[in-house]
Amino acid sequence: MTSNESATTDTLFQKRLAHHHDELAWLFNELYDDPAALQDLEKTMAEAYTARPADLKDLDARREADPEWYKRGNMFGMTMYTDLFAGDLKKLAEKIPYLQEQKLTYLHLMPLLQMPHPNNDGGYAIEDFDNVDPSLGTNEDLAALTAKLRKAGISLCLDFVMNHTASTHRWAMAAKAGDPEYQDYYSCYDDRTIPDQYDAVVPQVFPNTAPGNFTWSEEMHKWVLTSFYPFQWDLNYRNPKVFIAMMRSVLHLANLGVEVLRIDAVPYIWKELGTNCRNLPQVHTIVRMLRMVLETVCPAVVLKGEVVMAPKELAAYFGTPDKPECHMLYNVSIMVNLWSALANGDTRLLKAQIDALNALPENCWFVNYLRCHDDIGWGLDEAEEERLGIDPLKHKEFLYHFYEGCVPGSWAMGELYNYDEASKDARSCGTTASLCGVERALITHDKPALDMAMNRDLLMHRAVSFLRGFPMLSCGDEIVQLNGWDYKEDPDRVEDSRNLHRSKFDWEKAKLRTKPGTLQYEMWEGLEQVREMRDDPCFAPEAHVDTLGVGNDSVLAVERQSEGRTLIGLFNFSAGTQSARVPLPGGGVQDVELTPYEPRIIEV
């Protein structure tokens, strides 16, 4: 780089920093009142910018010119574990042609940073935020992979676990060794006085498998805050050193070519005694600062929030058009309501939830999915259930037993996760295909049941792809992958029923995707039709999306309008033939008859 080019890029960084400086300084000092720490943050940002590779700076420029790139109709995602799909990062890079065959534009790899083994919560207990786990490769392998993915038109998403570190992280090890500086990176207490005050108000995340919010550290002789598991120590964001260190790691990942950061468990990151420690204002201050740091150093990078909260809590995590926070969120509530509608043949709760999300401001954008690495937590809108005459607890029990396969007439095969006898709460595990009935039909050699199960599977994929946002597959869904019951034979995996849907990718089944008459071919072709559907102008970022009433609670009707065109998606969630009276934009109605589990897209 010539001195003139260096001066130009330095000017660009200074221009971006100047744009955000006053707000960033105000928010930082509001939290920390520490001007020296603010200087450290700005120095960290400048160093990361200087180290940013030229090709990524070119990407920054293109994304600044096209800020809604992640809202295009051609966005189509997939999430996977590197080891289960390919073994390691180098081998995954060799599989990129398979991803291109599906026209993927977005790949979310489950946590791959250095972690303890075997207790790592699926990689969400991280002991080094700056290095790839040796079992999966090296930082050089990750940078090479992101470069190859970019060339293929695929943006890489990685998790950034903001709330906690592994108890084996170097900070935690220093804290255990008695270093007061690093004990202040966490929330540590000599006795139970403050922990008891905390526990009196703050709900437990895993009351059955990891009760309480604190863990005794024998090495420190202190209680340490652990909201999730005892081996995951919550970070203390009251300490500016924690925030700056985490920003340094974020920028390091960005400079390795990561384009999307899924910030994990973000509602929990700020703790305030006397509150439930969820969704506090300081959380939004931190996320807003993170957004400004990225826009200054690496504006190609976008934030995806994991916010498992009610719709009324979601808008705040997007910020405002003038002061944005997350670019997009996981659409957890729609996922749950889709499965509820499928079990009940009743779309009323689903429609109400879609309406609530569509009522959010235009800057709110979602990643829509059916299954992911996690369980299905039955967090339905209880007030809406009661309004509809549905008993929330009985409905939840019905759903998790239905998808366990224990309700008469159930087609599903799955398992419970985190069943709590006291509260009768439980979550559900299983692959999309198995929960839709494919596995049971294959076991019983019931061809009509198998056809119906595939209809359900395709219905769910078509419906989730028609909603506001873009769809993300769980790897294996595209080849109708079934539950991996062999996890029960692995002593390191048997205790976590989520491993039921975390099994090795079946490459032999994948070969059948080109063979007519196979389930894999049927699903592959069905997903290709989904992508063709999303090529329509009605899937542009500015498209208007709304639900319609069609006089039948078994049918979900969603309308999309853009550039003078109107598409209506009709989705029959029942096992019977259903009729729908579709209101037309110019007046009048169109009567449509739908076969069991039929999705139909009509242009009006």
Side-chain angles (χ1 to χ4, degrees):
M1 180 181 291
T2 68
S3 59
N4 287 339
E5 288 173 331
S6 177
T8 300
T9 53
D10 289 346
T11 300
L12 181 58
F13 172 77
Q14 293 299 331
K15 180 181 178 181
R16 291 175 184 156
L17 180 60
H19 176 71
H20 289 301
H21 181 268
D22 288 351
E23 185 188 356
L24 181 61
W26 182 77
L27 291 175
F28 190 92
N29 287 321
E30 182 184 44
L31 272 190
Y32 301 121
D33 192 20
D34 190 335
L38 177 60
Q39 288 183 347
D40 287 343
L41 174 62
E42 293 179 352
K43 179 182 177 184
T44 295
M45 294 163 64
E47 290 172 348
Y49 179 81
T50 299
R52 189 158 173 79
D55 61 329
L56 294 178
K57 288 182 176 178
D58 290 341
L59 181 65
D60 291 333
R62 294 197 302 273
R63 294 283 168 77
E64 282 186 302
D66 181 22
E68 294 198 316
W69 64 271
Y70 59 93
K71 295 184 177 182
R72 305 290 174 209
N74 69 342
M75 285 295 291
F76 199 77
M78 177 175 283
T79 180
M80 64 174 62
Y81 282 94
T82 300
D83 56 338
L84 298 178
F85 180 69
D88 60 30
L89 293 174
K90 283 183 177 178
K91 292 175 182 175
L92 194 153
E94 296 171 1
K95 302 292 187 183
I96 288 177
Y98 175 81
L99 307 179
Q100 288 179 286
E101 194 178 333
Q102 300 176 73
K103 299 181 177 67
L104 293 187
T105 59
Y106 173 102
L107 178 66
H108 178 188
L109 294 181
M110 288 292 98
L112 48 73
L113 300 179
Q114 188 171 319
M115 64 191 83
H117 295 276
N119 290 326
N120 55 50
D121 188 26
Y124 287 92
I126 296 176
E127 61 183 16
D128 187 342
F129 286 93
D130 296 324
N131 287 292
V132 170
D133 193 85
S135 68
L136 299 174
T138 65
N139 285 5
E140 290 73 22
D141 295 335
L142 178 58
L145 174 65
T146 62
K148 291 177 180 177
L149 287 170
R150 279 197 304 281
K151 188 175 180 180
I154 301 172
S155 297
L156 182 69
C157 171
L158 285 189
D159 289 85
F160 192 72
V161 182
M162 292 193 68
N163 183 70
H164 48 259
T165 74
S167 58
T168 49
H169 190 284
R170 62 181 178 84
W171 301 339
M173 299 302 285
K176 291 177 187 178
D179 189 328
E181 178 181 356
Y182 287 102
Q183 288 181 358
D184 194 38
Y185 275 49
Y186 303 95
S187 297
C188 306
Y189 302 96
D190 294 327
D191 58 41
R192 287 291 310 185
T193 303
I194 292 179
D196 285 345
Q197 294 175 24
Y198 186 100
D199 280 341
V201 178
V202 177
Q204 301 174 67
V205 177
F206 299 130
N208 192 41
T209 56
N213 289 295
F214 289 84
T215 297
W216 174 252
S217 169
E218 189 62 36
E219 298 91 338
M220 288 193 302
H221 287 280
K222 292 178 183 289
W223 292 93
V224 60
L225 180 59
T226 56
S227 295
F228 290 84
Y229 288 104
F231 53 84
Q232 291 168 317
W233 287 19
D234 287 41
L235 286 165
N236 173 23
Y237 277 92
R238 292 177 177 275
N239 183 346
K241 292 180 180 179
V242 169
F243 177 78
I244 294 168
M246 294 298 275
M247 292 306 99
R248 185 176 296 114
S249 293
V250 159
L251 296 174
H252 175 67
L253 289 174
N255 281 355
L256 289 174
V258 176
E259 295 182 37
V260 184
L261 290 163
R262 173 190 177 271
I263 48 177
D264 179 70
V266 68
Y268 300 82
I269 61 177
W270 190 270
K271 313 301 192 295
E272 193 77 47
L273 201 61
T275 74
N276 68 358
C277 297
R278 307 285 194 271
N279 306 305
L280 297 179
Q282 294 88 343
V283 170
H284 297 288
T285 298
I286 289 172
V287 177
R288 174 62 185 146
M289 289 196 296
L290 170 57
R291 175 75 178 253
M292 287 189 285
V293 167
L294 294 178
E295 288 186 351
T296 301
V297 179
C298 47
V301 179
V302 302
L303 290 174
K304 177 174 71 172
E306 188 230 10
V307 183
V308 187
M309 300 288 168
K312 65 181 180 180
E313 303 282 4
L314 299 183
Y317 285 90
F318 291 101
T320 66
D322 292 335
K323 296 181 179 181
E325 295 178 23
C326 292
H327 296 76
M328 51 191 173
L329 298 185
Y330 255 9
N331 206 341
V332 180
S333 60
I334 288 299
M335 179 269 294
V336 173
N337 278 275
L338 280 164
W339 287 108
S340 171
L342 191 66
N344 293 313
D346 183 343
T347 67
R348 290 178 297 168
L349 281 174
L350 173 59
K351 181 181 183 301
Q353 198 74 358
I354 293 172
D355 289 342
L357 294 176
N358 286 343
L360 294 175
E362 290 184 2
N363 63 311
C364 301
W365 200 251
F366 295 94
V367 178
N368 301 316
Y369 64 102
L370 298 175
R371 296 297 295 112
C372 65
H373 70 287
D374 223 339
D375 54 85
I376 302 173
W378 298 105
L380 297 166
D381 185 337
E382 294 188 1
E384 183 65 18
E385 287 180 294
E386 290 171 350
R387 190 186 72 80
L388 295 172
I390 300 170
D391 183 296
L393 180 57
K394 289 182 178 178
H395 187 210
K396 180 187 294 187
E397 289 182 281
F398 162 77
L399 289 169
Y400 63 65
H401 285 313
F402 183 94
Y403 285 109
E404 188 187 14
C406 294
V407 172
S410 171
W411 58 73
M413 291 185 70
E415 281 195 306
L416 301 186
Y417 176 66
N418 260 10
Y419 177 74
D420 182 38
E421 176 65 35
S423 66
K424 301 299 181 184
D425 189 41
R427 309 175 186 195
S428 298
C429 299
T431 68
T432 300
S434 292
L435 295 179
C436 284
V438 174
E439 185 172 357
R440 185 181 294 273
L442 288 171
I443 290 172
T444 58
H445 302 284
D446 189 334
K447 182 60 166 63
L450 181 59
D451 292 341
M452 197 71 83
M454 287 298 293
N455 287 344
R456 291 187 201 102
D457 202 334
L458 289 164
L459 167 82
M460 292 284 276
H461 280 101
R462 184 65 70 95
V464 78
S465 300
F466 203 81
L467 303 177
R468 182 178 176 183
F470 73 86
M472 181 180 71
L473 299 177
S474 180
C475 184
D477 277 6
E478 78 280 13
I479 58 165
V480 201
Q481 192 144 326
L482 306 179
N483 290 331
W485 298 98
D486 58 347
Y487 88 90
K488 293 178 179 291
E489 300 167 13
D490 185 340
D492 290 337
R493 303 173 73 227
V494 67
E495 295 298 327
D496 190 338
S497 58
R498 291 176 298 180
N499 286 315
L500 182 64
H501 52 262
R502 298 174 180 175
S503 56
K504 284 189 175 181
F505 185 76
D506 192 335
W507 284 101
E508 290 304 309
K509 288 284 175 58
K511 292 177 182 177
L512 299 176
R513 68 189 184 275
T514 59
K515 185 177 180 180
T518 64
L519 299 181
Q520 289 69 33
Y521 180 87
E522 182 180 352
M523 178 58 67
W524 201 266
E525 291 299 303
L527 291 174
E528 176 59 26
Q529 292 171 15
V530 167
R531 289 187 287 272
E532 290 173 357
M533 172 189 78
R534 290 181 55 83
D535 280 340
D536 192 279
C538 286
F539 287 86
E542 66 277 5
H544 175 75
V545 185
D546 204 356
T547 64
L548 299 174
V550 292
N552 189 330
D553 291 335
S554 293
V555 178
L556 174 69
V558 180
E559 179 183 70
R560 282 183 161 273
Q561 294 181 326
S562 182
E563 299 181 11
R565 286 174 51 79
T566 300
L567 290 183
I568 295 176
L570 300 172
F571 308 95
N572 179 9
F573 277 79
S574 84
T577 299
Q578 301 291 337
S579 60
R581 292 183 61 79
V582 182
L584 302 177
V589 296
Q590 179 178 338
D591 292 317
V592 179
E593 188 171 277
L594 301 166
T595 58
Y597 302 114
E598 180 186 358
R600 190 183 305 180
I601 312 302
I602 60 176
E603 182 180 350
V604 296

